[in-house]
Amino acid sequence: MPFDDSTPYEVDERTAERAVIRFAPICDHQRLAEHEDELNSVVEQHAAVACDMSETKMIASDWLRWIARLAIKAEKAGTTFAVAGVNDIVSQTADLLGIKESLTVVDSVEDVWSL
């Protein structure tokens, strides 16, 4: 399903235990408190969360830093959390920001469920 220009991500609660946060192809939106609250809630309420970036060609550094914070929050909460489908540009940006090592990166969303 295509994203509209005002949507940075969509949450798909697959089951009570699993959720997918699918990021927009170009995620350069301003990050709002509502976004932070919603994503914090997703991490708190599910045993496993996949950040699907398989369609994401570009993501703002602010969003990548937030994803790294979510990964830390998930680890403290005992939630499995990984980023799936990262392309080279997003990977390089995470590396430049110094957060690449704090992210668990897998090839696909399905790989997250077996971590």
Side-chain angles (χ1 to χ4, degrees), residues 68-88:
R69 283 188 222 113
L70 284 174
I72 292 166
K73 180 180 188 65
E75 184 177 354
K76 289 179 181 177
T79 300
T80 300
F81 184 91
V83 181
V86 175
N87 71 26
D88 288 340

Side-chain angles (χ1 to χ4, degrees), residues 3 7-14 18-24 27 35-46 48-56 59 63 66-68 70-71 74 79-86 109 112-113:
F3 281 84
T7 306
Y9 63 85
E10 295 176 343
V11 176
D12 176 8
E13 294 179 302
R14 301 265 172 108
R18 297 177 178 174
V20 176
I21 304 166
R22 187 171 67 99
F23 284 87
C27 185
H35 297 137
E36 293 177 8
D37 292 345
E38 180 179 26
L39 296 180
N40 274 325
S41 179
V42 170
V43 168
E44 291 167 355
Q45 295 176 7
H46 295 84
V49 177
C51 288
D52 182 3
M53 293 195 184
S54 60
E55 297 177 47
T56 307
I59 187 166
W63 279 101
W66 179 248
I67 292 167
L70 284 174
T79 300
T80 300
F81 184 91
V83 181
V86 175
V109 168
V112 177
W113 314 142

